[in-house]
Amino acid sequence: MSWRRGADFQKFLSPPDLPEDRVLYSGAAIIPGGFDHQGSPLVIVPRAQQSKLVSDLKSADIVKLFKYFLHHLSESQTRNCLISIVADLRCATLDVVSSIINSLLQVQCQFGGIVDTFYALQPQKKGIKKCLLKSLGLGRSKPFSEPPFKYVLLNEVFELFNYIDRSQLTSDLGGYLVYQHAAWVHFRKDIDGFICEYCRVMQRFPGLLALLQELSLQSLPAGAEEFQWLPHELQELYTQGRRDLGIDELLRRCETIVEKLKNPKADPHFLAMAGTAVFAQTLDEMYERNERIRAAVDKVELLWQQALSRAQLLLKDFQCKQKAQQIIDLIIEEGLGNVRAYKVEIANNFSQAEMLKLKYEDAIYKPAMELVVESEKVLHALGVLTEQGLGRDEDLWEKLNRLKETLNIAVDMPYKTLKAVCDFNYMFEKKVPCSEWCNTKLLHVTSS
């Protein structure tokens, strides 16, 4: 059965694909978790890694990296995310400056003006500085055109502190924000790998719900053999569907990550990220996802139990009706047949009367009473099933009940006669007065 999305089910959007490791680990651009005075999250272009912008990375790589940053930064903001860029270009080459500006322009164009402010420590070389100004649409006297984003051009690092607190800057920019890029990459790969799987499962989750609903409403098998295998087949379908969905593995993975977030000492990369704002936010998000997964597991289990209960109920109803028909056949063929074929013999002494009574008990009465007891059990079971919402076969129920009563009466009459003969002979041989015997029988009749 193919998986289908529920139209009313919450949509889960996967994060963009992780950039290649060479891009992520390059550290050519980072999001250490700082903000400027306007509240915009910072993307820093570290001076030590700027050469990689032209030696190792292409413009498309940088754009993809910014796109990846934007996704995570926008998720952490309560308003539309506008980022600010910080770049120390004092020693940057012309190629580096061109690469940075061109990449920012592409990002600004592709994602609808998401750069709020560009903070740049200006190049020391006049030619490169002139190139920067020209790229920003600035001239000596007036702008050539409207700048693509706000800019703040600085000459010294300390000037940057007027716009960004030092607690929000990394050490290479004069700040004291602790940031380990390799740990951040490992952390993000671990979390994002889970989120991608989480989104995949949640997007396919309505399909499993649809499967369970269909299992609970499927048509009944035609034959007895298929009916016997119904719960087993449902179990196989459910187990396979749940395995294909992967929700149990997802829950285990989620709990593993939550445990590392709660006790980061077990993972050096998580430990390096502990104490940062993104770490605390991720823990809250993972708690929420864990609750959603558990709720999904509970819902799946509930629907499965409903489907299985219905199948078991149908199977029990089928078995009861089968049993009822078997008892009907036995009553007609053996119970009533044996009674009709039996000829009551009147014994002349107690020993013979006792023997005839015991012979009748073993051959006819006890088997017949067993059929009566089994009939009552089946009739009761059919009544319970009717109360549980299953339709009752009135003809079958009435037929079994009528035959049960008929057999009970038919088998009891010869038995009472044999007992009476047995009692008479016993009293006669013991020389019990006739009046006492009559009183005994009258008391027996009255009590019965």
Side-chain angles (χ1 to χ4, degrees):
M1 181 177 297
S2 61
W3 303 110
R4 297 188 300 275
R5 294 188 181 183
D8 57 345
F9 196 81
Q10 179 180 1
K11 293 183 179 179
F12 294 87
L13 299 178
S14 300
D17 294 336
L18 274 168
E20 298 176 17
D21 282 353
R22 64 180 180 82
V23 179
L24 272 179
Y25 282 103
S26 69
I30 62 174
I31 46 173
F35 297 82
D36 63 12
H37 289 169
Q38 306 301 317
S40 295
L42 300 178
V43 176
I44 295 177
V45 183
R47 182 172 66 178
Q49 309 299 329
Q50 287 176 2
S51 61
K52 295 181 180 179
L53 293 171
V54 292
S55 63
D56 299 344
L57 305 178
K58 300 176 182 178
S59 178
D61 295 328
I62 303 170
V63 172
K64 186 174 183 179
L65 185 60
F66 270 91
K67 179 182 179 181
Y68 180 73
F69 288 165
L70 287 171
H71 171 82
H72 291 292
L73 292 174
S74 63
E75 280 195 334
S76 65
Q77 305 304 304
T78 57
R79 58 183 176 81
N80 290 333
C81 180
L82 293 177
I83 64 172
S84 290
I85 314 295
V86 183
D88 184 353
L89 304 178
R90 288 176 296 178
C91 298
T93 64
L94 181 61
D95 289 343
V96 167
V97 171
S98 298
S99 176
I100 293 173
I101 299 301
N102 290 336
S103 298
L104 290 181
L105 292 175
Q106 288 188 52
V107 169
Q108 190 78 335
C109 179
Q110 286 189 28
F111 304 113
I114 50 80
V115 178
D116 181 62
T117 306
F118 177 51
Y119 300 99
L121 290 166
Q122 300 184 79
Q124 295 174 348
K125 294 183 179 180
K126 291 184 178 180
I128 300 176
K129 181 178 180 179
K130 183 178 180 180
C131 177
L132 172 63
L133 295 173
K134 185 176 181 181
S135 298
L136 293 174
L138 307 175
R140 183 176 296 274
S141 57
K142 62 179 181 179
F144 296 118
S145 60
E146 185 70 22
F149 36 72
K150 291 190 294 184
Y151 59 89
V152 177
L153 303 179
L154 309 164
N155 293 314
E156 299 295 339
V157 172
F158 68 85
E159 297 177 40
L160 190 59
F161 306 154
N162 295 322
Y163 306 93
I164 306 171
D165 191 89
R166 292 180 67 183
S167 65
Q168 306 298 303
L169 293 169
T170 52
S171 58
D172 58 322
L173 291 170
Y176 41 86
L177 178 64
V178 177
Y179 176 77
Q180 298 180 35
H181 186 63
W184 180 88
V185 172
H186 280 279
F187 178 78
R188 280 266 50 101
K189 289 179 72 174
D190 204 355
I191 299 300
D192 286 355
F194 163 78
I195 292 175
C196 287
E197 184 64 16
Y198 172 80
C199 294
R200 184 193 70 82
V201 171
M202 288 304 178
Q203 287 169 353
R204 300 180 69 183
F205 177 66
L208 182 57
L209 299 187
L211 170 66
L212 292 173
Q213 289 169 352
E214 288 183 14
L215 291 181
S216 66
L217 299 174
Q218 70 173 359
S219 57
L220 302 181
E225 186 175 348
E226 292 85 352
F227 233 124
Q228 297 290 342
W229 283 96
L230 177 60
H232 177 71
E233 291 177 353
L234 292 181
Q235 179 70 57
E236 287 187 343
L237 286 171
Y238 166 70
T239 302
Q240 184 62 44
R242 188 160 175 163
R243 186 186 301 117
D244 291 345
L245 182 64
I247 197 166
D248 298 298
E249 179 60 32
L250 182 71
L251 180 59
R252 286 191 291 269
R253 188 173 180 181
C254 182
E255 290 175 342
T256 299
I257 294 176
V258 168
E259 186 59 32
K260 288 199 291 184
L261 288 166
K262 290 167 58 179
N263 303 288
K265 292 182 179 179
D267 189 311
H269 302 117
F270 277 65
L271 182 60
M273 292 294 296
T276 63
V278 68
F279 190 87
Q281 178 186 337
T282 301
L283 178 57
D284 291 340
E285 291 172 350
M286 290 302 297
Y287 273 134
E288 183 180 349
R289 291 186 178 105
N290 185 267
E291 290 179 1
R292 286 180 178 176
I293 297 170
R294 287 186 176 278
V297 169
D298 291 344
K299 187 168 185 178
V300 166
E301 187 63 27
L302 175 62
L303 289 176
W304 160 241
Q305 289 301 327
Q306 290 175 349
L308 181 61
S309 295
R310 179 178 179 272
Q312 291 172 335
L313 202 62
L314 291 172
L315 178 59
K316 188 174 181 181
D317 181 65
F318 177 78
Q319 291 171 337
C320 280
K321 289 175 180 176
Q322 265 195 329
K323 183 70 173 177
Q325 188 59 53
Q326 291 171 359
I327 293 173
I328 287 172
D329 294 340
L330 286 172
I331 290 175
I332 294 173
E333 295 171 7
E334 297 182 12
L336 292 175
N338 291 337
V339 173
R340 293 189 184 110
Y342 182 75
K343 302 296 183 182
V344 179
E345 298 180 43
I346 304 299
N348 297 321
N349 56 64
F350 173 73
S351 177
Q352 185 183 11
E354 181 73 11
M355 183 187 67
L356 290 173
K357 181 173 76 73
L358 292 175
K359 185 177 179 181
Y360 180 81
E361 282 181 350
D362 292 338
I364 298 176
Y365 185 79
K366 287 182 179 179
M369 287 299 101
E370 289 176 0
L371 286 176
V372 169
V373 171
E374 286 298 312
S375 298
E376 291 173 344
K377 289 180 180 178
V378 171
L379 289 169
H380 175 73
L382 288 172
V384 171
L385 290 169
T386 301
E387 292 175 359
Q388 293 175 337
L390 293 181
R392 185 165 72 185
D393 188 336
E394 290 293 342
D395 291 340
L396 182 68
W397 195 92
E398 289 294 340
K399 186 175 183 180
L400 177 60
N401 188 53
R402 184 178 67 256
L403 285 171
K404 179 204 72 167
E405 295 296 334
T406 301
L407 177 63
N408 194 25
I409 294 171
V411 80
D412 194 51
M413 291 179 65
Y415 189 56
K416 285 180 177 178
T417 301
L418 291 171
K419 285 181 67 177
V421 172
C422 189
D423 291 344
F424 172 81
N425 281 286
Y426 175 80
M427 300 289 250
F428 180 79
E429 292 180 7
K430 295 294 183 181
K431 301 185 184 302
V432 176
C434 183
S435 60
E436 184 177 336
W437 179 83
C438 290
N439 290 334
T440 302
K441 300 315 292 179
L442 287 171
L443 287 172
H444 175 74
V445 171
T446 303
S447 63
S448 61

